[in-house]
Amino acid sequence: MVSAKATGYAAGVVGGPLEPLAWTVPTLGGHDVRVAVSHCGVCYTDIQAIDDFYGITTFPFVPGHEIVGHVEARGSAVSELEVGERVGIGWQGRSCGGCRWCEQGEVQLCYDIAETGTWERHGGFADSVTVDASFAYRLPAGMPSAVVSVLMCAGISVYAPLKRYAGDGPRVAIYGLGGLGHLAVQFAHALGYEVTAISSSEAKEAEARHFGADHFILTADRDRLRQSEFEVDLLLCTAHGGVDWQVMIDLLEKRGRLVLVGFPEMSIWSRDVVVHEVSITGSFTGNHATMNEMLSFAHTHGITPEIELLPMADVNDAIRRLKEGSVRYRIVLANDSSA
Ligand SMILES: [Zn+2]
Ligand SMILES: [Zn+2]
């Protein structure tokens, strides 16, 4: 039967810290499922939301949107998922269903996007979450839950643009080698790109090559970056900050494309954007079809997030380490029963 309370970790105020919180389990709508969370990855977006960087956070706020768990209960209209089935849930947990973008299946562009987050109200740093069943994805058997959780946000965030813009040309650069970047290198390699990894950390070169990078450039190596002018068709920026945009634009081939998948501060001199006719665009999670395709592709090609597994109760340590930049490459929190 329905347990009256859900529990998790919430930021009570802007900036946190996260503290234990209990709340009444939401009543299931006809199309909802409630999922008992076994694992949840920690994404930089969680930190930015705790800091109300996006201006949409309501407190107390339970973050967490790289979720794997088992269906615990389902609404009366849900037939596609069985109770007990393992599912993954990403950033988006619902959509309005009626806007022009939802009608086209581009649910990630829903006009009500700010209200569609899985963490609205409450996210995966908890014992259960409630979402629309269409946003709970059946997972390939054989992929460990702790590992596959990371694909639900980091994976889809990088796979979607790498797939969408594959026609731009064969040379991709991945800027930043964190949770998103280390997966982007793997996906890009498996998609057949010639991959350049760009990182501020010399220590990551061997790992970048292990993930499938053909080339590695240190952000401090200005000579090498200058020599690489026009050598990139598609540049995927996964960094949260500290980007030298002029240098990045100069890497792009004429009519090349810069895709942002994180939310760094941005300042760009228009000259080379205009003269080189480059495009700058964002990419945000993915629709249902792309999510299912990404999961299948990752399974087929052995795309494997590198994780550190911690108990859910260590969530504040996880956030501190992510802020420090010392995570290789994703922390996944596990609830006690599955740690
Ligand atoms: Zn995320
Ligand atoms: Zn919509």
Side-chain angles (χ1 to χ4, degrees), residues 104-119:
Q104 290 175 45
E106 297 283 26
V107 290
Q108 79 282 10
L109 298 177
C110 178
Y111 284 131
D112 290 344
I113 196 69
E115 288 86 50
T116 68
T118 295
W119 59 31

Side-chain angles (χ1 to χ4, degrees), residues 8-21 23 43-54 56-65 91 114 117-126 315 319:
Y9 291 88
V13 293
V14 175
L18 300 192
E19 289 167 340
L21 181 75
W23 60 93
C43 175
Y44 200 81
T45 306
D46 292 314
I47 294 175
Q48 290 184 317
I50 292 167
D51 292 341
D52 200 19
F53 174 82
Y54 310 106
I56 59 168
T57 309
T58 44
F59 295 90
F61 170 62
V62 179
H65 58 274
W91 182 87
T118 295
W119 59 31
E120 189 62 45
R121 323 246 349 177
H122 295 292
F125 298 169
V315 61
I319 288 171

Side-chain angles (χ1 to χ4, degrees), residues 271-292:
R271 186 194 65 183
D272 293 347
V273 174
V274 174
V275 174
H276 299 177
E277 297 189 0
V278 302
S279 299
I280 301 171
T281 185
S283 182
F284 183 58
T285 182
N287 61 24
H288 296 311
T290 311
M291 186 72 94
N292 285 317

Side-chain angles (χ1 to χ4, degrees), residues 96-97 99 102 110-111:
C96 86
C99 76
C102 285
C110 178
Y111 284 131

Side-chain angles (χ1 to χ4, degrees), residues 177-190:
L177 275 182
L180 272 67
H182 91 289
L183 279 176
V185 171
Q186 294 184 51
F187 275 117
H189 175 71

Side-chain angles (χ1 to χ4, degrees), residues 119-332:
W119 59 31
E120 189 62 45
R121 323 246 349 177
H122 295 292
F125 298 169
D127 57 6
S128 70
V129 293
T130 301
V131 297
D132 185 286
S134 67
F135 289 87
Y137 297 88
R138 195 171 276 125
L139 299 172
M143 294 185 89
S145 295
V147 171
V148 77
S149 67
V150 181
L151 297 177
M152 301 311 298
C153 176
I156 188 65
S157 295
V158 298
Y159 177 81
L162 287 169
K163 187 72 197 299
R164 187 184 311 143
Y165 299 122
D168 282 7
R171 301 166 301 175
V172 71
I174 310 298
Y175 185 100
L177 275 182
L180 272 67
H182 91 289
L183 279 176
V185 171
Q186 294 184 51
F187 275 117
H189 175 71
L191 284 163
Y193 284 102
E194 179 183 347
V195 184
T196 300
I198 304 173
S199 170
S200 59
S201 171
E202 205 165 2
K204 287 184 176 171
E205 175 164 3
E207 287 160 274
R209 291 187 186 279
H210 166 73
F211 293 138
D214 302 288
H215 316 286
F216 181 88
I217 305 180
L218 267 179
T219 50
D221 190 349
R222 308 299 285 219
D223 290 342
R224 174 76 188 284
L225 285 166
R226 254 192 299 274
Q227 287 158 16
S228 305
E229 189 180 30
F230 304 133
E231 290 189 354
V232 173
D233 302 306
L234 179 65
L235 173 57
L236 201 65
C237 181
T238 70
H240 311 298
V243 182
D244 185 330
W245 295 105
Q246 188 56 45
V247 170
M248 293 305 115
I249 295 292
D250 287 346
L251 288 177
L252 286 176
E253 177 59 279
K254 304 264 182 162
R255 291 194 175 158
R257 191 187 312 267
L258 167 63
V259 182
L260 305 181
V261 293
F263 301 86
E265 295 287 328
M266 197 169 195
S267 166
I268 284 188
W269 190 26
S270 56
R271 186 194 65 183
D272 293 347
V273 174
V274 174
V275 174
H276 299 177
E277 297 189 0
V278 302
S279 299
I280 301 171
T281 185
S283 182
F284 183 58
T285 182
N287 61 24
H288 296 311
T290 311
M291 186 72 94
N292 285 317
E293 181 187 299
M294 179 277 299
L295 288 166
S296 169
F297 185 93
H299 187 228
T300 304
H301 293 270
I303 308 289
T304 309
E306 297 263 325
I307 65 159
E308 300 180 39
L309 198 58
L310 293 179
M312 188 71 76
D314 289 356
V315 61
N316 286 302
D317 282 339
I319 288 171
R320 177 181 51 76
R321 291 200 39 225
L322 188 52
K323 283 180 173 169
E324 288 170 1
S326 66
V327 178
R328 293 284 181 91
Y329 282 85
R330 198 60 137 193
I331 290 177
V332 174

